[in-house]
Amino acid sequence: MKLLVTGGAGFIGSAVVRQAVAKGHEVVNLDALTYAANVENVASVSTSNLYSFEQADIRDRVRLDEIFALHRPDAVMHLAAESHVDRSIDGPGDFILTNINGTFNMLEAARGYWTRAGKPAGFRFHHISTDEVFGSLGDTGQFTEETPYDPRSPYSASKAASDHLVRAWAETYGLPVVLTNCSNNYGPFHFPEKLVPVVILNALHGRPIPVYGAGLNVRDWLYVEDHADALLTVVAKGELGRSYNIGGENEARNIDLVRLICRLMDEMHPAGAPHDRLITFVTDRPGHDARYAIDPARIRAELGWRPSVTLEEGMRRTVRWYLDNEAWWRPLLDRQGVGQRLGTKA
C-alpha cells in the first residue's frame, strides 16, 4: 500500500511513518516542518527506497494537488494538525487555519484525485483525531464512538470541526473515509513542550516540575508506538464510514503520572533524587477538562487490536529514551515557546 501521511515529521506521524516503512508500505511524508516537526524523527527510514518526503503546507491547495498527482497514493493518513491546547488558548487563529481549513483542503485534494482516478474501490481517507472533541467526563464513564461532541478549547473545537468536515465529505460526495479518536499519547520523539517530556527534562535539570491545579485531572495514556500500530490497522481493515476510538487502557491522574516519572528518574538518574521534591503546583489552565477515558471495545471487537504496553513499561521506555537522546531534544529547547508557561491569556 502507498500511504500519503500528513504531519509525518511530527510526534505521532513519525511513529506511523517508521512503522509503515518497517511493514513494507511505501510512504510519502507530507509535512510543513513547523515548530513541532523534526526531520530527525524519521531519520531511521529516510534512506529507504520506500520513503519520500514532500515539504508542503496543507493550507496550500495547489501544492496538495501536485503531490497527489505525482505520488498517486492508495490511502491518506491525515495527522497534520496544530495540537497543543495551551498554544490554542494564546493563538487560536493558527488552529483554525490548519486544523479546519487545512483539513478542508486535504479533503478537496483527495476527492479530486480520487474522482480523476475513476473512484478506485481501495482508496480511503483516514482522518486522525482526538478524544478531546468529546469534552470532559465525570468520575465514571468512558467515551464511545457515539458520545456527543462537546469541545472545550480552541484546539478541541478545531479538531471537532475537522471531524465533521470528514463525515460531511463522506455523506455528500461519497469519499471513502475512516476516522479515529485517540487518547493522550506519550513516548519517544515527543516534542518537549508536552507534559511527559517537560517532567523528564525538568527533573533531569533540577528545575521545578509544574503541575496544573492539584494534578487531579485524569487522562488515558497511550504509548505512541501502540497508537501507530492501531492506525495502520484501521487504514488497512477499518470499515468505511466508521470511527474507532483508540485508548491505552491506562488511566492516571496527572499527579500520579508525574510521581511515576519521578520514581523512574530516581532509579535511572539517581544523582538528582528524590525528583518528586521538584513538583510545583501552578495555576490551572482555563477550561482544563477534568477527565478523559476511552472505551476501545469497537476496535478490539471488530479489528482485533488492543494496546500492548502498560503505563509503567511505556513510561520506563520513554524516560530511558530521553536520557539516551540528548542530541535529539537539546536543539528543540531553543524553539519558540518551549520552556515558557503558555495558555494563560484567557
Side-chain angles (χ1 to χ4, degrees):
M1 184 184 297
K2 189 172 191 177
L3 303 172
L4 174 61
V5 179
T6 70
F11 171 46
I12 300 173
S14 64
V16 171
V17 168
R18 295 190 302 270
Q19 278 202 31
V21 171
K23 293 176 182 290
H25 298 296
E26 288 185 72
V27 175
V28 181
N29 180 359
L30 188 164
D31 200 294
L33 297 183
T34 57
Y35 80 96
N38 190 346
V39 293
E40 294 301 314
N41 295 0
V42 292
S44 63
V45 299
S46 61
T47 59
S48 170
N49 58 8
L50 296 175
Y51 175 82
S52 59
F53 177 73
E54 294 284 354
Q55 184 171 353
D57 194 320
I58 60 172
R59 297 175 296 185
D60 184 346
R61 173 63 193 282
V62 173
R63 278 287 285 137
L64 296 182
D65 287 341
E66 292 171 351
I67 290 167
F68 271 96
L70 174 64
H71 292 283
R72 302 183 60 81
D74 301 312
V76 175
M77 299 183 73
H78 178 40
L79 295 103
E82 294 284 348
S83 65
H84 191 36
V85 174
D86 289 358
R87 286 183 185 262
S88 82
I89 294 170
D90 289 347
D94 286 341
F95 289 73
I96 303 305
L97 292 175
T98 298
N99 298 354
I100 301 178
N101 294 5
T103 297
F104 163 73
N105 284 336
M106 283 298 303
L107 287 165
E108 282 293 87
R111 180 168 74 95
Y113 161 73
W114 175 64
T115 301
R116 288 189 295 272
K119 299 185 177 180
F123 181 78
R124 55 185 53 202
F125 185 104
H126 180 186
H127 178 63
I128 289 87
S129 189
T130 172
D131 61 356
E132 296 189 40
V133 299
F134 300 124
S136 184
L137 289 166
D139 293 338
T140 60
Q142 293 180 309
F143 298 134
T144 71
E145 290 80 2
E146 282 74 43
T147 299
Y149 277 35
D150 187 22
R152 308 290 186 90
S153 71
Y155 162 62
S156 58
S158 69
K159 288 299 290 184
S162 69
D163 291 8
H164 292 323
L165 287 174
V166 173
R167 290 190 173 93
W169 259 243
E171 291 293 332
T172 302
Y173 302 111
L175 188 68
V177 307
V178 288
L179 299 91
T180 51
N181 296 82
C182 70
S183 59
N184 281 40
N185 280 226
Y186 70 99
F189 300 101
H190 205 174
F191 190 71
E193 69 180 358
K194 297 297 184 76
L195 175 61
V196 171
V198 164
V199 175
I200 296 170
L201 297 181
N202 281 26
L204 178 63
H205 293 105
R207 293 196 288 258
I209 298 171
V211 176
Y212 290 174
L216 302 182
N217 305 74
V218 176
R219 300 292 182 262
D220 175 16
W221 291 94
L222 173 64
Y223 191 58
V224 69
E225 299 293 340
D226 272 347
H227 187 200
D229 180 61
L231 295 178
L232 290 167
T233 299
V234 171
V235 79
K237 302 193 299 184
E239 181 181 336
L240 292 181
R242 201 88 158 134
S243 65
Y244 297 89
N245 282 356
I246 304 172
E249 300 182 32
N250 285 307
E251 281 189 59
R253 301 185 307 172
N254 285 349
I255 186 61
D256 296 329
L257 181 83
V258 170
R259 287 173 176 151
L260 168 60
I261 296 171
C262 287
R263 175 168 61 79
L264 294 170
M265 286 294 294
D266 290 348
E267 175 186 323
M268 299 183 201
H269 185 70
H275 292 89
D276 61 4
R277 65 185 166 80
L278 300 169
I279 294 174
T280 304
F281 295 97
V282 300
T283 304
D284 209 351
R285 76 177 175 214
H288 198 177
D289 292 335
R291 175 173 170 262
Y292 305 146
I294 278 202
D295 177 0
R298 175 177 290 178
I299 191 171
R300 183 170 60 240
E302 295 185 9
L303 305 183
W305 182 90
R306 71 181 310 163
S308 66
V309 179
T310 65
L311 184 59
E312 172 96 17
E313 175 58 28
M315 211 54 76
R316 180 178 296 277
R317 295 182 194 177
T318 303
V319 170
R320 182 75 268 160
W321 189 89
Y322 277 91
L323 292 177
D324 291 343
N325 287 275
E326 181 175 355
W328 178 85
W329 54 257
R330 176 68 66 181
L332 302 181
L333 300 183
D334 294 329
R335 294 195 180 181
Q336 186 270 327
V338 177
Q340 302 174 25
R341 177 71 196 273
L342 304 173
T344 61
K345 289 185 178 179

